[in-house]
């Protein structure tokens, strides 16, 4: 007997698990196909701005994660050339009661919180998708082990090398010319840092340090990539030395955090992004197929919005699909299948419309900010040191001032 899934999600990353959990909250079953043998936690941690916490609250896991991560009280950018302070902004509530919630969430805790709320058997590991075909109103998914799965809805959350995005006609994400080294210092005792997001801007380099809790600090270091540095990226010891040599004029305690980071807690990745005009004009959805997360909007990390926007995607997509699928089951005839396909198609078009401009904005702004922050020319140095240094905190908060809405459907 042929088994047909209602919804298949490719990829058990942030977007994939958020979408699956959102659907589960609405009473819709999904199957999540993950190519790796376990949850993917590479990257150590991620900035979670207010928009991410709104999405996590909509999914029902915000409170448990808040208790595991320190509330950050403010942001401070400093020139690592002159040592002079630039943008400084408080996240605390002002006189009108308005504050900005920001924490640095450990990636493994976030993924585990999403996954543990799903019914047993929802996530199928070691399931790499190699091709997608059509069969009437269904999509046929072929796995590397020969397994064939049919589904009424296919959601691609399979990252920057997405098979689903390629099927929809998207090109491979472009390399920005920059790379990022990420690290996480896990200390035995309290690190003694205030709950503050510290960023240092230097000619050609950018670094940031954020406490996750009392003993853990997540940090990142972005740089323009040369052939020599590509060779450096193969060795954690060389990466560590490279960061220490290029931090610039920063306090000694910042250097100590990099020194204290174990070699197996270094990770280097090239920074890729989707050309924003592709998001604007491309097929975010087609029929009963769509993409979310990095499969839709790979972006540079300069706004700290990659993971946050993936959570937004999950809530928005689950809500749109819920409107098409909740309470619509019954005896399936060819006419009923056609009606259901049309409902799904319209739901995914609604999702695409909702997420298109948001994705375009984040990709474009992030790329521009990153180019200015790490520019070495006279004009970009002027923009960085005189303009961006003063307004960076405001810009970060402006992009985080977004609400993806609730999961409730009409």
């Amino acid at each position: 007997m042929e088994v047909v899934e209602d919804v298949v999600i490719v990829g058990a990353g942030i977007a994939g698990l958020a979408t699956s959990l959102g659907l589960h909250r609405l009473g819709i079953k999904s199957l999540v196909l993950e190519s790796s043998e376990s949850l993917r936690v590479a990257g150590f941690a991620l900035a979670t701005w207010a928009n991410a916490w709104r999405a996590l609250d909509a999914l029902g896991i915000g409170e448990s994660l808040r208790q595991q991560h320190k509330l950050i009280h403010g942001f401070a950018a400093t020139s690592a050339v002159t040592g002079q302070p630039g943008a400084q902004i408080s996240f605390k509530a002002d006189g009108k009661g308005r504050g900005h919630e920001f924490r640095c969430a450990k990636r493994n805790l976030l993924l585990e919180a999403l996954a543990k709320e799903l019914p047993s058997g929802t996530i199928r590991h070691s399931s790499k998708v190699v091709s997608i075909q059509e069969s009437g109103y269904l999509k046929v998914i072929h796995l590397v082990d020969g397994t064939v799965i049919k589904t009424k809805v296919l959601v691609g959350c399979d990252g920057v090398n997405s098979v689903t995005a390629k099927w929809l006609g998207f090109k491979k994400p472009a390399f920005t010319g920059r790379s990022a080294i990420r690290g996480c210092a896990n200390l035995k005792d309290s690190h003694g840092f205030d709950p503050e997001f510290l960023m240092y801007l230097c000619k050609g380099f950018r670094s940031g340090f954020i406490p996750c809790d009392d003993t853990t600090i997540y940090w990142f270091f972005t740089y323009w990539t040369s052939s020599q540095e590509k060779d450096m990226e193969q060795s954690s010891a060389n990466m560590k030395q490279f960061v220490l040599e290029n931090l610039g004029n920063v306090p000694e305690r910042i250097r100590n955090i990099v020194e204290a980071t174990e070699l197996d807690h270094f990770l280097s990745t090239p920074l890729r992004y989707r050309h924003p005009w592709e998001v604007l004009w491309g097929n975010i959805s087609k029929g009963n197929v769509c993409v979310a997360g990095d499969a839709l909007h790979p972006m540079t990390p300069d706004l700290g919005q990659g993971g946050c926007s993936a959570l937004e995607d999950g809530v928005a997509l689950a809500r749109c699909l819920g409107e098409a699928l909740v309470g619509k089951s019954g005896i399936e005839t060819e006419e009923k299948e056609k009606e259901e396909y049309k409902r799904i198609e319209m739901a995914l078009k609604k999702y695409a419309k909702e997420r298109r401009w948001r994705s375009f904005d984040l990709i474009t702004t992030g790329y521009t900010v990153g180019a200015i922050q790490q520019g070495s020319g006279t004009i970009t140095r002027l923009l960085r040191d005189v303009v961006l240094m003063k307004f960076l905190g405001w810009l970060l908060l402006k992009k985080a001032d977004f609400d993806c809405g609730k999961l409730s459907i009409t």
Side-chain angles (χ1 to χ4, degrees):
M1 181 178 176
E2 182 182 86
V3 177
V4 178
E5 300 288 343
D6 286 335
V7 182
V8 169
I9 299 168
V10 184
I14 294 173
L17 294 180
T19 302
S20 182
L21 181 54
L23 290 171
H24 173 61
R25 298 296 194 211
L26 295 173
I28 301 171
K29 180 183 177 183
S30 64
L31 174 64
V32 182
L33 302 177
E34 170 55 43
S35 60
S36 65
E37 297 179 355
S38 59
L39 290 178
R40 293 174 285 130
V41 297
F44 310 118
L46 67 150
T48 46
W49 295 89
N51 55 313
W53 290 104
R54 294 185 186 107
L56 291 168
D57 284 338
L59 294 169
I61 59 171
E63 281 307 312
S64 62
L65 284 168
R66 284 184 176 92
Q67 296 177 19
Q68 300 176 81
H69 298 96
K70 184 178 289 291
L71 180 65
I72 303 301
H73 293 164
F75 167 83
T78 303
S79 170
V81 177
T82 65
Q84 294 299 310
Q88 295 190 34
I89 190 165
S90 173
F91 296 161
K92 296 180 180 179
D94 57 20
K96 298 179 180 179
R98 294 176 300 187
H100 305 276
E101 184 173 12
F102 177 87
R103 290 175 168 82
C104 186
K106 293 182 180 180
R107 186 174 292 267
N108 64 321
L109 296 182
L110 173 58
L111 292 178
E112 288 166 4
L114 290 165
K116 76 177 183 180
E117 295 293 313
L118 295 172
S120 177
T122 299
I123 305 172
R124 176 173 169 173
H125 291 284
S126 302
S127 300
K128 181 177 177 58
V129 174
V130 293
S131 67
I132 302 165
Q133 293 179 326
E134 297 189 73
S135 176
Y137 298 117
L138 304 175
K139 289 298 176 288
V140 183
I141 305 164
H142 295 265
L143 306 185
V144 71
D145 63 1
T147 302
V148 177
I149 300 172
K150 291 187 176 183
T151 182
K152 298 176 182 178
V153 185
L154 175 59
V155 180
C157 300
D158 39 346
V160 294
N161 297 313
S162 171
V163 174
T164 318
K166 183 179 180 181
W167 186 89
L168 287 170
F170 282 114
K171 297 179 181 178
K172 186 176 181 179
F175 177 46
T176 62
R178 297 191 294 145
S179 294
I181 295 174
R182 296 177 174 90
C184 190
N186 297 305
L187 308 176
K188 294 181 179 179
D189 301 313
S190 174
H191 48 64
F193 276 67
D194 291 332
E196 191 174 29
F197 179 1
L198 303 176
M199 184 179 292
Y200 299 91
L201 307 179
C202 193
K203 185 172 70 173
F205 304 100
R206 182 181 73 112
S207 60
F209 298 79
I210 320 172
C212 295
D213 51 36
D214 290 333
T215 59
T216 306
I217 290 185
Y218 167 71
W219 59 266
F220 60 83
F221 182 86
T222 59
Y223 57 97
W224 293 103
T225 312
S226 68
S227 57
Q228 179 181 357
E229 285 150 2
K230 286 182 180 179
D231 294 335
M232 171 271 298
E233 294 165 1
Q234 305 303 314
S235 165
S236 294
N238 290 343
M239 280 192 277
K240 187 173 188 175
Q241 187 63 31
F242 177 76
V243 173
L244 290 170
E245 289 176 353
N246 292 284
L247 277 174
N249 184 14
V250 300
E252 189 64 26
R253 64 175 186 157
I254 293 296
R255 293 184 178 277
N256 291 341
I257 289 299
V258 179
E259 288 278 14
T261 303
E262 299 291 337
L263 292 182
D264 60 354
H265 279 66
F266 279 76
L267 176 70
S268 177
T269 53
L271 300 183
R272 303 186 184 278
Y273 77 117
R274 191 172 303 293
H275 289 130
W277 54 86
E278 282 192 74
V279 172
L280 205 56
W281 303 113
N283 292 321
I284 295 176
S285 72
K286 183 179 179 182
N288 55 354
V289 180
C290 73
V291 283
D294 281 345
L296 167 59
H297 46 59
M299 64 185 74
T300 62
D302 304 285
L303 298 176
Q305 281 292 338
C308 301
S309 56
L311 289 166
E312 294 175 8
D313 290 344
V315 173
L317 180 51
R319 182 174 57 241
C320 290
L321 279 175
E323 292 174 355
L325 298 177
V326 169
K328 303 297 194 302
S329 60
I331 298 174
E332 293 193 358
T333 63
E334 185 174 351
E335 187 62 28
K336 288 286 187 180
E337 289 177 359
K338 182 178 180 180
E339 290 177 6
E340 184 176 52
Y341 179 88
K342 286 297 183 182
R343 289 199 309 270
I344 292 167
E345 182 179 36
M346 294 307 297
L348 296 185
K349 283 184 177 181
K350 181 179 179 180
Y351 157 76
K353 182 179 180 180
E354 186 174 333
R355 300 304 297 164
R356 192 180 302 276
W357 280 102
R358 172 67 170 167
S359 300
F360 173 87
D361 179 28
L362 293 177
I363 292 172
T364 305
T365 307
Y367 181 87
T368 304
V369 167
I372 294 174
Q373 283 180 340
Q374 292 185 229
S376 57
T378 302
I379 295 177
T380 52
R381 285 205 308 270
L382 179 66
L383 287 171
R384 179 185 68 232
D385 298 338
V386 177
V387 180
L388 187 62
M389 283 282 286
K390 293 182 179 180
F391 295 101
L392 183 56
W394 171 84
L395 182 62
L396 293 172
L397 291 180
K398 181 176 176 60
K399 298 308 173 185
D401 188 20
F402 183 89
D403 191 345
C404 63
K406 308 298 183 184
L407 273 175
S408 58
I409 58 177
T410 57

PDB file of all heavy atoms in Angstrom, residues 13 140 310 382 404:
ATOM      1  N   GLY A  13      17.023  21.635  10.955  1.00  0.00           N
ATOM      2  CA  GLY A  13      17.657  22.801  11.546  1.00  0.00           C
ATOM      3  C   GLY A  13      16.611  23.662  12.234  1.00  0.00           C
ATOM      4  O   GLY A  13      15.511  23.203  12.553  1.00  0.00           O
ATOM      5  N   VAL A 140       7.316  13.440  -5.129  1.00  0.00           N
ATOM      6  CA  VAL A 140       8.009  12.187  -4.841  1.00  0.00           C
ATOM      7  C   VAL A 140       9.442  12.520  -4.463  1.00  0.00           C
ATOM      8  O   VAL A 140      10.185  13.119  -5.245  1.00  0.00           O
ATOM      9  CB  VAL A 140       7.978  11.237  -6.055  1.00  0.00           C
ATOM     10  CG1 VAL A 140       8.656   9.911  -5.697  1.00  0.00           C
ATOM     11  CG2 VAL A 140       6.548  11.012  -6.522  1.00  0.00           C
ATOM     12  N   ALA A 310      14.700  32.538  10.633  1.00  0.00           N
ATOM     13  CA  ALA A 310      14.289  31.149  10.404  1.00  0.00           C
ATOM     14  C   ALA A 310      13.139  30.769  11.332  1.00  0.00           C
ATOM     15  O   ALA A 310      12.213  30.054  10.932  1.00  0.00           O
ATOM     16  CB  ALA A 310      15.476  30.203  10.614  1.00  0.00           C
ATOM     17  N   LEU A 382      35.305  55.988   6.562  1.00  0.00           N
ATOM     18  CA  LEU A 382      34.572  57.155   7.031  1.00  0.00           C
ATOM     19  C   LEU A 382      33.154  56.756   7.435  1.00  0.00           C
ATOM     20  O   LEU A 382      32.650  57.163   8.491  1.00  0.00           O
ATOM     21  CB  LEU A 382      34.536  58.228   5.941  1.00  0.00           C
ATOM     22  CG  LEU A 382      33.781  59.524   6.285  1.00  0.00           C
ATOM     23  CD1 LEU A 382      34.509  60.257   7.392  1.00  0.00           C
ATOM     24  CD2 LEU A 382      33.667  60.412   5.043  1.00  0.00           C
ATOM     25  N   CYS A 404       6.276  38.180  14.036  1.00  0.00           N
ATOM     26  CA  CYS A 404       5.789  37.223  13.036  1.00  0.00           C
ATOM     27  C   CYS A 404       4.353  36.800  13.294  1.00  0.00           C
ATOM     28  O   CYS A 404       3.750  36.103  12.466  1.00  0.00           O
ATOM     29  CB  CYS A 404       6.697  35.995  12.987  1.00  0.00           C
ATOM     30  SG  CYS A 404       6.739  35.052  14.525  1.00  0.00           S
TER      31      CYS A 404
END
